[in-house]
Amino acid sequence: MKVSAEQKKEMIIQNFVSLIQQFGINRLTLNDVAEKSGLTKSALYYYFDSKEALMIATFNHFHDKMLAKFQAIAKNAETPKEVLLTYCRFYLSLTDDDEFCGLMKYSEEVTNELAKYVVNTPEIAKAVLSSREQDLEGICQILADYAGVKSNDPRFVYILMIFQGFISGFTFSLLRENKDSSLLDALGINSRFSWKSLKEIPKEDICDFIITGLDTLIKKNFKDKK
């Protein structure tokens, strides 16, 4: 069976991610990616002519797949509240998504190295920031529709930041099964709390907590709303 260009690109991207997880980004070369992909370097260059281009393509590939998954689910939501709940459930369920969790399997050393690489490579940082801005605009519109206000209202940025900070922080905390417990020990709460215990909290309880908090913030910042 003939492999399409898109299938080859996806195979290269998957191998690229695997090699980053194994060796980190700095030591990794396109030769390494070509060898793992069973390609010559010139064949790899046909698809990606630099490590930076491959990194941007990798980010966009997985970002677009996750966005498509959400949009496929959200299209069945009939009210602003259902869309918001769908977003919360989707985001919180990413920790159960094998593909997403597979992307997060980086050691702390590799994660720090990768973060520095992205920040210090202008074309990659620009692509990530541009995508992030689009995501925030989409989330802001979801929240604004729920609140019944305009998404460009400056008061709404405050609510957006709190919402996104909470839900992102909770999600990524769930992914860190081997979290260093030194801070918890210092606070004296490690005996009654563990990061793994977060997984035992029902997702619907978290969604209810988020909605209740949003309602409070909306009433506080938009006093004309009931």
Side-chain angles (χ1 to χ4, degrees), residues 199-211:
K199 293 185 177 181
E200 299 172 5
I201 301 175
K203 299 292 192 298
E204 284 304 311
D205 287 354
I206 301 171
C207 289
D208 289 343
F209 181 82
I210 292 171
I211 296 297

Side-chain angles (χ1 to χ4, degrees), residues 5 22-23 30 42 59 80 88 92 112 115 143 148 152 157 167 192 205 211:
Q22 188 174 358
F23 301 111
L30 287 185
S42 59
F59 173 80
C88 293
L92 292 170
N112 291 336
L143 293 174
N152 61 356
V157 175
I167 200 167
R192 57 187 175 88
D205 287 354
I211 296 297

Side-chain angles (χ1 to χ4, degrees), residues 70-162:
F70 168 68
Q71 291 175 338
I73 300 171
K75 69 179 182 181
N76 297 317
E78 297 181 353
T79 66
K81 184 172 183 177
E82 287 177 359
V83 175
L84 177 59
L85 284 171
T86 298
Y87 176 82
C88 293
R89 290 166 184 154
F90 173 78
Y91 210 107
L92 292 170
S93 295
L94 284 178
T95 54
D96 301 319
D97 186 295
D98 291 338
E99 183 175 34
F100 180 76
C101 290
L103 288 173
M104 298 296 109
K105 290 181 179 177
Y106 297 101
S107 67
E108 187 169 351
E109 180 181 356
V110 169
T111 299
N112 291 336
E113 180 185 288
L114 188 58
K116 290 179 182 178
Y117 177 78
V118 170
V119 170
N120 293 325
T121 309
E123 58 266 46
I124 299 176
K126 183 179 179 180
V128 173
L129 287 174
S130 176
S131 177
R132 179 61 175 161
E133 287 176 359
Q134 292 178 14
D135 287 346
L136 288 175
E137 287 178 5
I139 298 165
C140 189
Q141 189 60 58
I142 291 173
L143 293 174
D145 288 344
Y146 172 70
V149 299
K150 293 183 178 180
S151 61
N152 61 356
D153 191 308
R155 292 172 295 177
F156 212 73
V157 175
Y158 171 73
I159 296 175
L160 172 65
M161 292 300 103
I162 292 177

Side-chain angles (χ1 to χ4, degrees), residues 166-182:
F166 177 83
I167 200 167
S168 297
F170 192 93
T171 300
F172 283 97
S173 292
L174 282 169
L175 290 168
R176 303 191 67 179
E177 295 183 4
N178 298 317
K179 178 79 176 178
D180 181 6
S181 64
S182 58

